[in-house]
Amino acid sequence: KTAEGERAVRAAFEADRNKCTTSVTLESDRYQPFSEEEFVRLYPLVPYQLKLLIDAVSARRAQSGSLLTMGGSNRTIVQHAQKLIIDRAVGLGGSEVGSLVTVDLSYVLLEELIPTAWRHEVDQAVSAHGSESIEVQVMRAVALCTDVPGISLTAANIASLLHPSISADPIDQEIDEALAVLVGEDRLRESDKGYGLQSPDEKDWEQTRRAIDMKPGDAVRLRRDHRRGARHARG
């Protein structure tokens, strides 16, 4: 950044310090809060995103069976960070001061590392909701960050990972609504570890389970038949 750019970032951060810090802070022991100096130096990334992206790429490569990790190459993470600024598709270089990198942008640049089945689910969400929708942002964030150590993909953490700018109001409500839609569409499933994409087998099992779930009318009929059987037994 130029000296003028640093002053502009610092002024934007100081104007909305509490709102920004609260909105991007993760519920995590691994990805800690940051200082103003770290924020200004690494902007438009949130400082913990460097470590998180290294961990995310390592998790995706481990899932595919690759022995290589991003953590072994500082050059790789620097190049990725540069693309998040200059890439024509997702780069923030032309955005207003205050815009933040969100992890769904990294998904676009690292898509080849994502399991094919998960990419298919994201593509279906794009078809259903549009590539710029909050639902697709959530899907991309979950696909990239599943099994990253030290962070659960709760609604609050997903909101932090997708917070769009220094001055933006919290997006928790939008994230809650998007998650409800995606769970209803069987694209995501909630567990004690947070939200995750379903494998084809998990999705088939869930759909089968729902098909055999007892409906209210079934429960009424079952209780009625039980009472009739009890009366006959007493008679």
Side-chain angles (χ1 to χ4, degrees), residues 216-234:
D218 296 330
V220 171
R221 285 191 293 272
L222 185 61
R223 288 194 296 269
R224 183 181 59 204
D225 292 342
H226 176 74
R227 288 195 297 269
R228 286 176 179 174
R231 286 198 298 269
H232 289 321
R234 289 196 299 269

Side-chain angles (χ1 to χ4, degrees), residues 6-22 24 34-40 43 46-47 97-98 100 166-167:
E6 286 193 4
R7 286 194 293 270
V9 172
R10 192 181 302 278
F13 183 72
E14 289 177 349
D16 286 294
R17 180 194 305 270
N18 292 337
K19 180 193 292 186
C20 177
T21 301
T22 299
V24 301
F34 46 83
S35 67
E36 178 178 327
E37 294 305 316
E38 289 175 311
F39 184 89
V40 173
Y43 176 85
V46 180
V97 173
L100 295 173
I166 292 173
S167 62

Side-chain angles (χ1 to χ4, degrees), residues 93-169:
S95 301
E96 295 183 359
V97 173
S99 298
L100 295 173
V101 166
T102 51
V103 297
D104 60 303
L105 303 181
S106 287
Y107 172 98
V108 176
L109 298 175
L110 300 169
E111 189 173 15
E112 72 276 5
L113 297 178
I114 306 299
T116 302
W118 291 4
R119 275 185 278 167
H120 178 66
E121 290 294 331
V122 173
D123 290 343
Q124 285 190 329
V126 170
S127 297
H129 302 286
S131 61
E132 304 301 318
S133 66
I134 190 68
E135 288 84 4
V136 169
Q137 291 179 50
V138 169
M139 289 287 289
R140 288 171 173 166
V142 172
L144 181 62
C145 296
T146 293
D147 295 328
V148 167
I151 178 174
S152 297
L153 291 177
T154 61
N157 278 340
I158 292 171
S160 295
L161 294 172
L162 295 176
H163 191 72
S165 74
I166 292 173
S167 62
D169 290 329

Side-chain angles (χ1 to χ4, degrees), residues 189-203:
R189 184 179 182 187
E190 187 178 13
S191 70
D192 56 356
K193 296 181 180 180
Y195 290 89
L197 281 84
Q198 297 194 84
S199 69
D201 288 342
E202 288 173 332
K203 180 176 290 191

